[in-house]
Every structure is written in C-alpha cells, then in structure tokens.
Amino acid sequence: MNKLQSFTVSKLAVTFIRLTLRSKSTGPRPSAPLGSRPLTNPEDIFKHNMWDHVQWTEEDKANAQQMIEENSSEQLSLKEQGKFDTEACHYWDKFYEAHQDKFFKDRRWLFTEFPELLPSGAKSPATDVRYNPTPASSTDPEAGRHQRSKHTDFHSKASCENATAETKEAAHFPGQHASFRILEVGCGVGNSVFPILNNIKGTDSFLYCCDFSQRAIQLVTDHPDYDDSVCRVFVHDLCEETASFPFPPQSLDVILAVFVLSSIHPDRMRGVVSRLSSYLKDGGVFLFRDYGRHDLSQLRFKKGQCLSENFYTRGDGTCAYFFTKEEVHDLFSKAGLEEVQNLEDKRLQVNRKKKVVMRRVWMQSKYRKSLPHPPS
C-alpha cells in the first residue's frame, strides 16, 4: 500500500513539474523590440509572421501606384457619394449590429507605441505574449529609437498641473478631479478603452471615449469591465461642428485616434482635428494611427468603390482614406500642433501556412500642443 502511495505521489510530482515547465515556456515574454526583425536574408521570409523596416523597390512602388490608378479610374457619382457621408452612422450601426464586439481585437500594443497614455509615474503594463503585429517601424532612420528616450515626457508634473483659469472656473464635469485625462475618439466597442482602463485604475486618471454609433456605445457600457467612476462614454459625431463634449476646452492631456480619421470625408478632417485640438492642455499630445498610402487594403479595392482620390467605400458602406506623411503633417500642424513623431510604418506581413506575403503601410504620429513661453 505504501509503495502504491509512494508511486502515486511521485507520479503527481512529475506531472506537476511538467505542467509548471509548460506554463513557464508559454508564459509572457518580451515582444520583439522595435526594429529588431529586419529581413536580411530572403530565404528566411517564412520564419516569422512580420518583418520590420521593409524597403520598397521602385518596381514595388510603381506596381502599387498602377493598381491604385486602376481601382480609382471609375469614381462614384457625387449623388451616390453623398449617402456615404450623410448616412455614415447608419452603416457603422449596421456593422456593429452584425459583428458585435467580435471583429476587432483588443489593442495590447497601445502602451508600447504610445507610452504617453500612461500618467507620469505609472507602471508600464506587461508585454503581450504574442509578437506585436503592428508596432511602429519605418525606413526613417529615427524610427528605431525607443519612444521614451526619443520624445519629451509630456506628463511631467508641470504638464499635469497646467490647467487654465477657464478650466478651473468651468462648471462641474465628469472627471474634473482627475489630474490626468484621456479622450479616445471613435472608440468603437472598446478595443482601446478596456486596455487603457485596466492600466489607469488607481492613478488619478480619467478616460473619456466617444463614437457616433449608438450601437457601439451600448456595447461598451454593457462590457463587464466598464467602470463609470474612471470612464465616461458618450455618443458624439466628430463632424458635427456644434456638438459639445462633457468637458471644457484645454482640459485633456491626451487625445487618441486609432483608425478613425480615415473613415471621415477628407474635406472634413481638418475641421475635426482643429476642434479636437482646442480641448488639449498646453503640452498635451494628440496620438494618431491610421492607414498609409499603398497599404494592401487600398490595393484590394475594386473599380466602382472609389469616392475620391485615395478615398474608398467598402462593401458594407464604411469608408477608408489612405494617408501620406506629408498629409498627416499638414493636417496636424495647421491645427497649431507641433510634430513629435510622424512615421510611415512599412511592414511585411506573412501567412506562413499559405506562403503569402502582404505589404502593409500604416501611419503613426504624435503631435503636441505647445507650452506657453515663459515671460521674459
């Protein structure tokens, strides 16, 4: 009997050790550092799912441009185009009604690429177990520098305390007692909201998030992690010039817009960015990530889906614009913001099972509202 017990205990111990080792081998590990995975040997292309700092040949550029010229050769009439602007909310409501919160994944890369989302002194979250598929990279020689060392820490004590007299005298508003405030525009179903909320709790911070889709906002408020003590979610149409926000001007430390501006008609973008920028504190930062020109998704559009130059409608009625670095800089600088980062993120995405290679292009930018000059 003792031998049987001894054997059983020994077997359990071995099983426990094996499970422990397995859990360690599959536990969190540092994501690949920015720029650490350039493709130096073409024979290695299918060893990883993503490669950094992809250089495009002149032939690559010419082929992409030719595809764009072909798919934009037939544009929809002005009458047909109008509905994609005036009925945009309807199309996005239908999108979220169909997909609920299952279409997009939570953006766990946010704090790697945008450490400005964390207030000064807050601990950075643990890195995701998977290799980040969309970190910033660029052929720009500055792209490889670490974000914290390359850029000013916008959330110094002076910046957090830089509330204007107008803000101090404003009527009560949600989040007024927080020392650090974030606004995410076009929040959708919360793929950025909940990673942010989980990392600002206990930091005297407050998150505002909005979307013009009532259905999306309902999905956010229904989420078990939604906490109205540190978050205010509301319906808001960024293109509506007279629409108000639940906070006063110059009260925000950070504005986040991830794949949002591309869905807006190009003629409306400048007004949207200008209005949003007025809500930043001096020293506050606008964080932006969106589609870049010649991205695979632009090349895949068919004839008859083009609304105007580099602006398309998808089959479900939602729209997408594809930016260049110059356009991004023009958009934010004319809103009175200073460039901190403006990267063209070119990557090589690989489907190793199907042996398919895809070229992706994203824009990633950070623009700051200037601090006032000290009196001479």
Side-chain angles (χ1 to χ4, degrees):
M1 185 70 176
N2 290 335
K3 288 184 179 181
L4 180 60
Q5 289 179 336
S6 176
F7 174 77
T8 302
V9 170
S10 176
K11 188 174 181 179
L12 287 171
V14 170
T15 302
F16 173 78
I17 292 172
R18 285 177 178 173
L19 289 173
T20 302
L21 290 174
R22 182 180 298 175
S23 67
K24 287 183 178 180
S25 67
T26 59
R29 61 178 183 274
S31 59
L34 177 64
S36 67
R37 193 172 287 166
L39 180 62
T40 56
N41 183 357
E43 295 181 359
D44 294 337
I45 192 168
F46 295 111
K47 287 186 177 181
H48 295 288
N49 294 330
M50 194 77 69
W51 297 96
D52 297 332
H53 301 309
V54 176
Q55 298 286 346
W56 284 43
T57 66
E58 292 302 318
E59 182 180 3
D60 292 330
K61 296 175 185 177
N63 289 339
Q65 187 57 39
Q66 182 180 354
M67 295 177 72
I68 291 174
E69 290 174 0
E70 290 177 358
N71 69 24
S72 61
S73 60
E74 297 178 9
Q75 295 186 4
L76 295 177
S77 66
L78 291 177
K79 183 178 180 179
E80 289 180 290
Q81 288 186 32
K83 69 178 182 179
F84 296 109
D85 185 24
T86 59
E87 300 178 26
C89 184
H90 167 71
Y91 289 118
W92 280 104
D93 269 335
K94 288 181 63 177
F95 175 90
Y96 290 119
E97 187 67 40
H99 298 289
Q100 300 291 303
D101 59 354
K102 304 296 190 291
F103 193 83
F104 301 109
K105 295 181 179 179
D106 283 354
R107 293 163 177 152
R108 301 185 182 185
W109 50 266
L110 276 175
F111 302 97
T112 301
E113 302 309 322
F114 296 137
E116 295 83 0
L117 287 167
L118 291 171
S120 181
K123 185 178 179 181
S124 296
T127 54
D128 190 8
V129 63
R130 296 161 298 178
Y131 174 61
N132 171 21
T134 56
S137 62
S138 171
T139 54
D140 188 322
E142 293 185 342
R145 301 185 190 179
H146 193 279
Q147 305 298 338
R148 278 292 191 190
S149 62
K150 180 178 185 292
H151 307 306
T152 305
D153 184 350
F154 300 110
H155 309 317
S156 62
K157 183 178 179 182
S159 175
C160 289
E161 294 176 351
N162 187 30
T164 64
E166 180 181 4
T167 300
K168 291 178 180 178
E169 296 173 1
H172 293 296
F173 63 95
Q176 65 174 326
H177 298 299
S179 62
F180 187 76
R181 304 185 193 98
I182 304 166
L183 166 66
E184 187 198 4
V185 293
C187 66
V189 296
N191 299 103
S192 297
V193 171
F194 297 109
I196 293 173
L197 280 181
N198 290 333
N199 285 284
I200 66 170
K201 288 182 179 179
T203 64
D204 194 28
S205 302
F206 198 88
L207 173 66
Y208 308 93
C209 48
C210 64
D211 199 285
F212 72 165
S213 168
Q214 178 67 56
R215 182 56 184 155
I217 294 301
Q218 187 62 50
L219 288 167
V220 172
T221 57
D222 289 344
H223 195 284
D225 290 342
Y226 179 70
D227 184 351
D228 59 9
S229 68
V230 290
C231 183
R232 170 68 183 274
V233 60
F234 55 101
V235 177
H236 186 92
D237 185 349
L238 295 175
C239 295
E240 179 54 59
E241 296 182 14
T242 59
S244 62
F245 287 96
F247 44 79
Q250 295 186 287
S251 59
L252 300 175
D253 295 273
V254 178
I255 295 175
L256 176 68
V258 180
F259 295 99
V260 174
L261 295 184
S262 57
S263 65
I264 297 173
H265 193 286
D267 292 344
R268 295 178 179 268
M269 290 180 190
R270 185 163 296 173
V272 169
V273 173
S274 179
R275 288 191 294 275
L276 287 171
S277 298
S278 69
Y279 288 90
L280 282 173
K281 296 177 182 178
D282 294 335
V285 63
F286 202 129
L287 306 176
F288 168 80
R289 187 165 177 84
D290 222 312
Y291 295 109
R293 190 71 48 82
H294 296 163
D295 179 60
L296 176 66
S297 56
Q298 181 180 16
L299 307 185
R300 283 179 168 174
F301 281 106
K302 307 298 182 184
K303 287 183 181 180
Q305 292 181 277
C306 185
L307 299 175
S308 60
E309 190 173 4
N310 300 301
F311 188 50
Y312 302 80
T313 179
R314 304 182 182 94
D316 59 9
T318 62
C319 299
Y321 184 81
F322 297 85
F323 296 89
T324 64
K325 286 178 64 174
E326 293 74 21
E327 289 173 343
V328 172
H329 180 76
D330 184 69
L331 188 63
F332 287 96
S333 62
K334 288 190 175 178
L337 305 181
E338 298 178 345
E339 179 183 315
V340 177
Q341 179 193 70
N342 190 19
L343 299 178
E344 186 178 43
D345 181 4
K346 290 186 174 179
R347 306 180 68 81
L348 199 63
Q349 192 171 0
V350 178
N351 185 322
R352 292 188 284 175
K353 183 177 181 180
K354 297 181 179 180
K355 304 299 181 184
V356 174
V357 175
M358 298 160 282
R359 294 184 180 275
R360 304 309 309 265
V361 184
W362 294 286
M363 303 307 304
Q364 180 163 300
S365 308
K366 306 177 183 183
Y367 280 79
R368 178 180 58 186
K369 191 169 187 177
S370 300
L371 288 166
H373 295 292
S376 55

